[in-house]
Amino acid sequence: MSQNNLRYSHEDHSGDAPANRLLSIIESSLDRKRFHDQHWEGSFGEYLEIALQRPGVVRNAFQRVFDMVLSHGSERYRLFKKDLVRYHFFSDPFDGGADGVFGLDEQLMQLVDVFRSAAEGYGTDRRILLLHGPVGSSKSTIARLLKKGLEHYSRTEEGALYTFSWMLDEHAGPSAKTHEFRCPMHEEPLMLVPNEARADLLATLNERYAADAGHRGRLRLPGEICPFCRKVFADLLLHYDGDWKQAIGHAKVRRIALSEKDRIGIGTFQPKDEKNQDSTELTGDINYRKIALYGSDSDPRAFNFDGELCIANRGVCEFIEVLKLDVAFLYDLLGASQERLIKPKKFAQTFIDELIIRHTNDPQYPKPHSNELMEAFRDRTIKIDIPYNIRLDDEIRIYEKDFSRERVRHIHIAPHTLEVAAMWAVLTRLEEPKKAGITLMQKLKLYNGKSISGFTEDSIKELRAESHREGMSGISPRYIQDKISNTLVSAQAMQEGQVNPFMLMNELEGGLSHHSLITDDDTRKHYRELLGLVMQEYEDTIKSEVQRAISADEDAISRLCSNYIESVRAYTQKEKVQNKYTGKYEEPDERLMRSIEEKIDIPEGRKDDFRQEIMNYIGALSLDGKKFAYNTNARLYKALELKLFEDQRDTIKLKNLVSSIVDDETQKKIDIIKQRMIDQFGYSDRSAADVINYVASIFARGDAKGD
């Protein structure tokens, strides 16, 4: 037995070193000083010193939320003749962008403007915020970001806030300070200052607060402390014969960190069955076990101030799908919004300081409007529409975040796979243009910032003005995310090791027949037609990529450009061109010039204008000390690529790819094209081969039709 003990002892000892190293790694990642700072405790007098040095600790909930958003910075930009601000807070700097919100800068500006107005005390601090929009439009994500942000902000020095506890002993007498009784609503310690003295105190604090740049509004101390603290403080004043200083000696100030899990400063209310709803979930309830101890159910010490509106004091309270609540249940929110008061059972109205934010989807919004009794409730609501994205690039970013290469490592997602899904989703949310001469696809491209001949920023502004409800209906990002997930784990994807746009579009179309939110056949038919538009756009894209890969010979395209420019220069100056081989002077090569210009739809009647435009462009570059190259002018570059593709297409025999027999020379050229597709556009070997073969089949069909 002793040998076994020795053996086990030796094994345990040998395992100490790795365990100790792990413990050291864990310990080195912890910051004890920060822990002590976040758990600071002191007297009321010591807290006064802190408030004088950093008056921002006394801010109300709206001021704190507004400063929190600004603390992460912002950037201004202009879009469609409108000045916009992008607040970096909503990119989720806390979890690496996991809850980042894309494409809603205009709506988020409205939200932050409400915070700014409330911080100034202009009245919006007495309103309930309603985020309204279709399902999956980021309403709950925005609310979650605000809660997450407050948790993080309260742990920083800039966002520090404090509350207090009572040091008492119920059995040893009022003078004892052996047991700690925390303020159940985490109230501001300066609320303990009598109303008679608050004006002078606030004047001193606001003088210092105004000196700190960036702060909004003035510090205010409205309302009274909660019934529990009011009872304790009143008893202490009676015991000390009105000596406030001795009574306040029982108050221990402590720093707090807001936490939803710990139910400190952040609350969330989710509706349940209407028949089982109880307003005590908002305002707290009687603790029946303590009635025998204190002798009355109206003694605040026998009451639990643990309702969501109570524990969310100093922070934010989120109401999920609030319009599904019973009408009578919502009356507690009337006082909570306008008067900042709640009414716990058998107690006086109690002051609260918190941001109340609620959200609902589109079908539920009209519900309270049919009830005239809810007029007051609607009047206290600021509604901010949170629509779906209607800009393609922003929608793509949503799916790139969820299905990045870091997260999807075992399956190759072919280029444009996420793009076609995002394009279809955005198309379902757009309204058909009322203006003649513009298609829905063109509208999508204009919204995404692409220039289209004949349309200006004013045109885009008109399009947006005539479409009031764009983004408030259509396909949800959740549907797209679900279908991408299904495609990634499909048998075909596992077998091929890749997901391509065709696989995803088939999955998107197949899901329409049992989509829970699509109830009519006309909508399904319309969505399927939009998938057809996306397919056409995708085919044009990959044809262009294959063309660019074929015409990616820089020497060849540079020679073609040089020949074109030489002919254009001679044409515009009415000169002849010297033949490099014969030495003779000849007329400019009109056939060459027109074959290039026709590729970008320059009509015969406008060829002179285009050629002069090119020469003026080259002259302007020369004046700036810059050289003209084949890829300097985007329109000409595109024309040169298309011309070179046309010239080389027959030599490569692209259409022969659809046959099973390809000669060695053609195969070498195809391999070069495939490698260019991989290097330039991010294809894998398999997906590049698939695209080249598909494009080859398109050209084969086109040639067959031509024959």
Side-chain angles (χ1 to χ4, degrees):
M1 182 175 289
S2 61
Q3 289 180 348
N4 287 337
N5 287 338
L6 284 172
R7 177 165 56 83
Y8 291 137
S9 175
H10 174 73
E11 289 174 355
D12 291 345
H13 180 72
S14 66
D16 280 348
N20 285 336
R21 283 198 298 271
L22 288 175
L23 285 171
S24 298
I25 293 172
I26 295 170
E27 190 172 13
S28 64
S29 65
L30 302 176
D31 188 342
R32 293 190 68 184
K33 182 181 182 304
R34 187 179 180 187
F35 177 85
H36 288 305
D37 290 343
Q38 292 178 359
H39 292 79
W40 178 91
E41 293 180 349
S43 67
F44 186 83
E46 289 173 318
Y47 176 65
L48 275 178
E49 288 293 332
I50 292 174
L52 286 170
Q53 293 172 12
R54 292 184 291 136
V57 298
V58 190
R59 288 170 295 178
N60 64 26
F62 279 97
Q63 290 170 326
R64 197 174 301 277
V65 168
F66 178 64
D67 289 344
M68 170 194 70
V69 173
L70 292 191
S71 69
H72 293 277
S74 62
E75 59 181 289
R76 293 185 176 274
Y77 67 99
R78 191 169 177 81
L79 181 68
F80 306 142
K81 293 191 173 183
K82 182 177 287 189
D83 292 319
L84 298 176
V85 179
R86 178 177 292 117
Y87 293 99
H88 300 316
F89 170 84
F90 296 102
S91 298
D92 189 10
F94 319 106
D95 287 331
D99 282 325
V101 178
F102 305 111
L104 297 176
D105 291 339
E106 190 171 347
Q107 290 74 24
L108 294 174
M109 276 179 61
Q110 297 175 28
L111 180 64
V112 177
D113 285 345
V114 172
F115 295 156
R116 179 183 285 109
S117 175
E120 294 280 9
Y122 291 156
T124 49
D125 52 328
R126 297 182 179 275
R127 302 292 180 267
I128 297 172
L129 278 172
L130 171 64
L131 304 181
H132 164 252
V135 293
S137 64
S138 300
K139 302 182 298 297
S140 57
T141 302
I142 293 169
R144 185 164 59 250
L145 267 174
L146 291 172
K147 296 189 294 183
K148 187 194 301 185
L150 272 176
E151 288 186 352
H152 179 271
Y153 189 63
S154 68
R155 288 169 170 78
T156 65
E157 283 304 303
E158 183 184 358
L161 73 161
Y162 298 79
T163 187
F164 59 91
S165 302
W166 296 106
M167 302 306 297
L168 306 166
D169 192 321
E170 294 174 301
H171 305 293
S175 300
K177 302 179 181 179
T178 55
H179 290 74
E180 181 177 353
F181 297 86
R182 296 185 170 186
C183 171
M185 294 178 61
H186 328 296
E187 292 173 305
E188 162 62 44
L190 295 187
M191 295 282 283
L192 295 170
V193 176
N195 285 326
E196 299 85 349
R198 287 186 186 179
D200 293 335
L201 173 65
L202 286 172
T204 302
L205 292 177
N206 275 310
E207 185 178 347
R208 302 191 179 205
Y209 183 68
D212 294 337
H215 284 143
R216 288 279 175 177
R218 294 174 60 81
L219 300 175
R220 300 182 290 276
L221 291 172
E224 299 287 343
I225 51 179
C226 69
F228 173 80
C229 295
R230 183 179 177 85
K231 168 67 175 173
V232 172
F233 204 22
D235 289 347
L236 286 170
L237 286 171
L238 283 173
H239 176 73
Y240 290 113
D241 195 24
D243 190 333
W244 181 86
K245 194 171 182 180
Q246 278 193 290
I248 205 67
H250 285 265
K252 180 179 74 174
V253 179
R254 55 190 177 86
R255 182 174 170 181
I256 55 172
L258 302 187
S259 170
E260 182 172 18
K261 291 181 179 178
D262 295 331
R263 290 173 63 78
I264 300 175
I266 297 177
T268 303
F269 186 82
Q270 188 165 358
K272 302 176 181 64
D273 182 7
E274 290 187 5
K275 296 180 181 178
N276 297 322
Q277 291 171 10
D278 188 349
S279 62
T280 58
E281 295 180 56
L282 293 181
T283 56
D285 201 2
I286 297 169
N287 187 332
Y288 291 97
R289 294 178 60 188
K290 291 187 177 181
I291 293 176
L293 180 62
Y294 297 111
S296 171
D297 60 358
S298 60
D299 190 309
R301 293 171 296 180
F303 192 88
N304 292 331
F305 292 90
D306 58 357
E308 292 302 314
L309 290 174
C310 297
I311 64 100
N313 193 42
R314 310 290 302 282
V316 59
C317 189
E318 175 192 8
F319 283 78
I320 299 173
E321 296 295 351
V322 69
L323 296 180
K324 293 180 180 178
L325 291 169
D326 183 69
V327 172
F329 190 82
L330 297 174
Y331 278 102
D332 280 313
L333 291 177
L334 294 178
S337 59
Q338 182 66 36
E339 288 80 24
R340 292 291 164 192
L341 297 171
I342 59 173
K343 180 65 174 67
K345 187 187 296 184
K346 295 198 173 183
F347 293 100
Q349 290 181 315
T350 302
F351 176 77
I352 57 171
D353 169 31
E354 61 195 68
L355 162 65
I356 299 175
I357 186 166
R358 58 194 184 96
H359 48 84
T360 189
N361 56 41
D362 203 48
Q364 268 73 43
Y365 181 64
K367 182 179 177 182
H369 287 254
S370 61
N371 189 333
E372 293 182 1
L373 297 176
M374 293 308 297
E375 182 179 349
F377 186 72
R378 296 196 303 271
D379 190 49
R380 288 166 168 82
T381 297
I382 295 177
K383 181 173 74 75
I384 297 177
D385 286 332
I386 306 295
Y388 291 135
N389 275 322
I390 56 173
R391 295 194 71 211
L392 177 60
D393 286 347
D394 292 323
E395 188 73 8
I396 293 173
R397 289 172 67 191
I398 294 175
Y399 310 129
E400 288 179 339
K401 176 191 69 175
D402 293 332
F403 303 99
S404 62
R405 289 186 179 179
E406 291 75 17
R407 297 187 67 178
V408 185
R409 298 181 180 180
H410 61 290
I411 297 288
H412 172 71
I413 300 179
H416 310 297
T417 302
L418 302 181
E419 181 184 343
V420 297
M423 184 179 294
W424 178 63
V426 173
L427 284 173
T428 66
R429 302 164 189 170
L430 298 181
E431 297 178 10
E432 287 288 344
K434 298 176 183 176
K435 189 176 181 180
I438 179 173
T439 66
L440 197 62
M441 185 63 74
Q442 286 177 318
K443 187 178 186 181
L444 177 143
K445 292 178 180 179
L446 286 170
Y447 280 7
N448 202 42
K450 184 174 181 179
S451 297
I452 297 179
S453 179
F455 295 95
T456 63
E457 284 195 348
D458 288 330
S459 306
I460 302 170
K461 195 174 179 181
E462 289 176 14
L463 286 171
R464 298 196 69 178
E466 71 183 19
S467 308
H468 299 293
R469 287 188 54 81
E470 274 188 334
M472 297 302 286
S473 61
I475 288 293
S476 161
R478 290 177 187 157
Y479 178 80
I480 304 293
Q481 289 162 334
D482 291 344
K483 298 309 171 186
I484 295 174
S485 299
N486 291 349
T487 310
L488 285 169
V489 298
S490 66
Q492 183 181 358
M494 293 298 180
Q495 181 180 353
E496 298 182 7
Q498 68 160 354
V499 167
N500 61 44
F502 299 108
M503 296 161 62
L504 180 53
M505 281 192 277
N506 288 337
E507 182 69 25
L508 292 172
E509 184 174 9
L512 288 176
S513 58
H514 49 79
H515 193 298
S516 59
L517 298 180
I518 302 177
T519 56
D520 60 289
D521 292 335
D522 289 341
T523 302
R524 289 192 182 92
K525 180 182 177 183
H526 175 60
Y527 287 174
R528 288 191 175 99
E529 290 171 351
L530 294 179
L531 274 170
L533 290 180
V534 173
M535 176 64 80
Q536 293 174 16
E537 188 67 23
Y538 174 63
E539 287 185 355
D540 290 343
T541 300
I542 57 177
K543 281 165 61 178
S544 174
E545 287 180 345
V546 172
Q547 289 168 353
R548 290 171 65 185
I550 290 173
S551 59
D553 186 339
E554 292 189 7
D555 291 337
I557 199 168
S558 181
R559 287 194 301 271
L560 181 63
C561 179
S562 178
N563 292 337
Y564 175 76
I565 294 299
E566 189 176 6
S567 289
V568 167
R569 182 191 60 78
Y571 178 85
T572 55
Q573 296 182 10
K574 304 187 184 309
E575 297 177 354
K576 292 187 176 182
V577 179
Q578 186 178 23
N579 189 305
K580 295 178 182 179
Y581 304 103
T582 65
K584 295 181 179 180
Y585 285 91
E586 301 171 351
E587 293 295 328
D589 193 340
E590 180 68 21
R591 184 177 179 182
L592 171 69
M593 290 187 288
R594 287 304 297 149
S595 65
I596 292 172
E597 292 158 358
E598 286 171 353
K599 296 294 179 291
I600 49 174
D601 300 324
I602 303 296
E604 179 74 21
R606 286 207 66 249
K607 67 179 183 181
D608 289 359
D609 294 338
F610 179 75
R611 293 170 187 177
Q612 190 60 55
E613 179 185 321
I614 292 294
M615 296 311 298
N616 292 342
Y617 182 79
I618 295 173
L621 285 177
S622 179
L623 290 174
D624 292 338
K626 299 176 182 178
K627 290 185 177 181
F628 178 82
Y630 65 86
N631 57 356
T632 307
N633 184 284
R635 291 182 74 197
L636 180 58
Y637 182 35
K638 180 181 179 182
L640 293 168
E641 280 188 327
L642 292 171
K643 170 61 178 171
L644 189 61
F645 167 74
E646 185 180 79
D647 293 345
Q648 295 188 357
R649 171 180 159 194
D650 292 333
T651 62
I652 293 175
K653 300 177 182 178
L654 188 62
K655 65 181 180 180
N656 292 341
L657 277 176
V658 294
S659 79
S660 58
I661 302 173
V662 179
D663 60 82
D664 291 341
E665 184 181 354
T666 301
Q667 187 60 53
K668 287 179 182 178
K669 294 178 180 179
I670 294 302
D671 289 341
I672 293 173
I673 297 170
K674 192 191 328 182
Q675 191 59 47
R676 288 172 181 168
M677 297 284 287
I678 294 170
D679 295 339
Q680 294 180 23
F681 305 116
Y683 287 90
S684 67
D685 189 80
R686 174 68 180 266
S687 60
D690 289 346
V691 164
I692 292 172
N693 277 279
Y694 185 75
V695 171
S697 70
I698 295 175
F699 284 115
R701 291 198 306 266
D703 290 343
K705 289 177 182 177
D707 293 340

